[in-house]
């Protein structure tokens, strides 16, 4: 699980512990680095848990971030994947790296 963020609901993100740390895995979570690595085009299941019930109108906002000296730069797709129509057939804006297959997801630029 990632470190808790300050929230009255004590929100916690959890990654499936069954993932493999080999290169053949679709995704890997490093608890020592507190980072997740996902192969292009694969799903990384995330469970969001709260200690208290949240309002039904609540939204979860997620974003990707570089570390250290590039932490203000937006994370965007490389030109090769940006131009690939097959990689952009899910309805999310083409420049988005982080995508959700949840039908209620909203992608904003």
């Amino acid at each position: 699980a990632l470190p808790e963020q300050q929230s009255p609901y004590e929100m916690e993100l959890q990654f499936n512990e069954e993932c493999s740390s080999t290169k053949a895995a679709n995704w890997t979570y490093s608890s020592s680095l507190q980072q997740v690595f996902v192969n292009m085009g694969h799903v990384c299941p995330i469970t969001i848990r709260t200690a208290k019930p949240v309002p039904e109108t609540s939204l979860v906002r997620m974003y990707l971030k570089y570390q250290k000296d590039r932490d203000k730069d937006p994370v965007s797709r490389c030109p090769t994947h940006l131009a690939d129509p097959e990689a952009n057939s899910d309805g999310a804006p083409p420049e988005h790296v982080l995508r959700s297959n949840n039908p209620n997801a909203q992608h904003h630029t």
Side-chain angles (χ1 to χ4, degrees), residues 1-5 10-15 29 46-50 60-62:
L2 293 176
E4 283 185 24
Q5 301 296 316
E10 300 174 33
M11 185 175 83
E12 180 181 38
L13 296 181
Q14 296 178 332
F15 296 94
Y29 174 71
I46 299 172
T47 301
I48 300 171
R49 298 195 187 279
T50 59
V60 174
R61 181 176 295 180
M62 300 182 96

Side-chain angles (χ1 to χ4, degrees), residues 8 10 18 31 34 37 39 47 50 55 58 68 70 79 83 93 101:
E10 300 174 33
E18 297 176 4
S31 55
Q34 294 185 340
F37 302 90
N39 288 334
T47 301
T50 59
S58 297
K68 300 181 184 172
R70 294 190 61 198
N101 62 358

